[in-house]
Amino acid sequence: MEAEANSGSPEDSWAFIQRPGEGCRTVPLAGHVGFDSLPDQLVNQSISQGFCFNILCVGETGLGKSTLMDTLFNTKFEGEPATHTQPGVQLQSNTYDLQESNVGLKLTIVSTVGFGDQINKEDSYRPIVEFIDAQFEAYLQEELKIRRLLHNYHDSRIHACLYFIAPTGHSLKSLDLVTMKKLDSKVNVIPIIAKSDAISKSELTKFKIKITSELVSNGVQIYQFPMDDEAVAEVNGTMNAHLPFAVIGSTEELKIGNKMVKVRQYPWGTVQVENEAHCDFVKLREMLIRVNMEDLREQTHSRHYELYRRCKLEEMGFKDTDPDSKPFSLQETYEAKRNEFLGELQKKEEEMRQMFVQRVKEKEAELKEAEKELHEKFDRLKKLHQDEKKKLEDKKKSLDDEVNAFKQRKTAAELLQSQGSQAGGSQTLKRDKEKKN
């Protein structure tokens, strides 16, 4: 092996060094070195940084989503109960800082307010899918930055989706099947039967079988607890057979025997939340938090986020290899996409310029046509004005002639009247003289 490594050109030797996984040798150590403390270093670093876990609760209003969260984490989260009058599905996100022993957990609970309350439920899944994609997009944008701060970045990607199924005892609703089918490629879906104390044990067993059959026949891929780790393979295999979990949530405590337990009280008796003979709450808590929380986080990053990232980069034109199976250069791909984008931008700019010129020409033609119509209208009004003016002048002349004729007649009449009065006066004087004589 040494002879092969040292023989040949320096380029061949460098190529060998670049691939340490091929032909690596196992050598013994003469004494203690200290890299066996790496797991402890990782644990200390993780504890100092803290952990984050994000849960999405999907289900109709009134199935006890908030109560189950309170029961799972043994606390009382803030929140108001939702009504059935929501116009659409709204996602409500709340983040809490939890501390247990020396481990800190930043927990985010996302609730689907108004899910299943509308008459038309056709697009009820869309806001949920868009919310999940938005968290993936935010993480991708942080990754693509030149100066990344992923160690301080609040990872808001959904790690687990608890899908609450109504305890009908018959079959899944079409809304449940459609929604889980849309979510199974984007998030780890864990179906649970909510308020399972509403149906009997025999009905619950049949209901579980029916749900599993419908999920398989409709191609819905739910989260399976991992089997690759020998330490948890046995318990995970057993728990996979119990899916979907039939759970009950309650924050009410009652003293039974010598300890306080969480129960739901009914007139006929009490149901103990943490009693595995009554429900699967303990199984859910064990699998979700105590055994597989890290696997849920890892599956979200390595499977669901990677699928989203790959599709997004392929949409942007990036590929791992070219048609000749040669690796792509990121710089060359970027330059090619940039040139393509600039070409498209220039083409669109030219199209917009031509469209602008065309619209200017059309506008000019419209303005010229409007100007022509205005000139024609002005000419018509001018001619009409001249005609009216001529008519008025003729009428004025006629009236002036009539006034002059009237004045002449008036003058003649006044003259005749004055002559007549003079003649009458002389005759009166003559008669008076004759009387006196």
Side-chain angles (χ1 to χ4, degrees), residues 230-429:
E230 294 182 358
V232 296
E234 183 178 354
V235 63
N236 279 348
T238 304
M239 292 299 106
N240 282 330
H242 282 83
L243 288 172
F245 292 134
V247 299
I248 303 167
S250 176
T251 56
E252 182 182 356
E253 292 188 344
L254 182 68
K255 188 173 184 179
I256 298 179
N258 295 325
K259 63 178 182 178
M260 301 294 293
V261 296
K262 291 183 174 63
V263 299
R264 291 186 70 89
Q265 295 191 67
Y266 297 96
W268 44 263
T270 58
V271 179
Q272 299 179 26
V273 173
E274 296 180 338
N275 189 336
E276 295 193 47
H278 293 180
C279 69
D280 297 332
F281 172 80
V282 174
K283 296 183 178 67
L284 173 65
R285 184 177 60 191
E286 289 287 329
M287 293 297 100
L288 180 67
I289 300 176
R290 301 182 180 179
V291 179
N292 298 301
M293 180 180 281
E294 182 57 32
D295 183 74
L296 288 165
R297 286 156 43 91
E298 178 62 27
Q299 286 290 322
T300 299
H301 182 79
S302 62
R303 180 187 170 194
H304 302 297
Y305 171 70
E306 283 299 320
L307 176 62
Y308 177 85
R309 177 179 175 274
R310 185 185 69 190
C311 294
K312 202 70 175 178
L313 292 179
E314 287 178 353
E315 288 178 5
M316 296 168 63
F318 294 99
K319 297 180 180 178
D320 291 333
T321 58
D322 59 11
D324 299 330
S325 298
K326 295 181 180 179
F328 257 104
S329 169
L330 184 62
Q331 181 67 23
E332 292 176 0
T333 304
Y334 169 76
E335 290 294 337
K337 294 300 293 183
R338 183 175 181 274
N339 294 333
E340 181 182 353
F341 173 75
L342 291 176
E344 291 179 357
L345 189 63
Q346 188 174 3
K347 183 179 178 181
K348 288 182 179 180
E349 185 179 357
E350 185 63 28
E351 291 176 355
M352 291 180 67
R353 185 181 292 109
Q354 293 177 0
M355 186 182 298
F356 176 75
V357 172
Q358 182 67 24
R359 288 187 177 180
V360 168
K361 290 181 179 178
E362 292 175 356
K363 196 66 177 177
E364 286 180 350
E366 291 177 2
L367 290 174
K368 287 181 179 179
E369 185 68 24
E371 185 180 5
K372 183 179 178 182
E373 292 178 358
L374 286 173
H375 280 299
E376 292 177 353
K377 186 176 180 180
F378 175 74
D379 292 339
R380 289 195 304 270
L381 292 173
K382 185 178 180 181
K383 185 178 180 182
L384 182 63
H385 173 71
Q386 291 175 352
D387 294 341
E388 291 290 334
K389 184 178 179 181
K390 186 177 180 181
K391 288 180 181 180
L392 290 172
E393 288 177 351
D394 293 342
K395 193 172 182 179
K396 180 182 178 183
K397 185 178 180 182
S398 175
L399 289 173
D400 289 341
D401 293 342
E402 290 180 4
V403 169
N404 292 331
F406 174 77
K407 287 180 178 179
Q408 290 177 1
R409 288 196 301 270
K410 181 180 178 183
T411 303
E414 289 177 350
L415 181 60
L416 290 174
Q417 186 178 4
S418 62
Q419 290 177 357
S421 61
Q422 290 177 1
S426 61
Q427 289 178 0
T428 303
L429 290 174

Side-chain angles (χ1 to χ4, degrees), residues 71-99:
T71 312
L72 272 175
F73 292 94
N74 199 21
T75 186
K76 179 63 177 178
F77 295 114
E78 301 173 358
E80 297 180 358
T83 63
H84 293 270
T85 59
Q86 297 293 332
V89 180
Q90 300 177 358
L91 277 84
Q92 191 176 64
S93 178
N94 294 299
T95 302
Y96 309 93
D97 288 321
L98 307 181
Q99 186 78 22

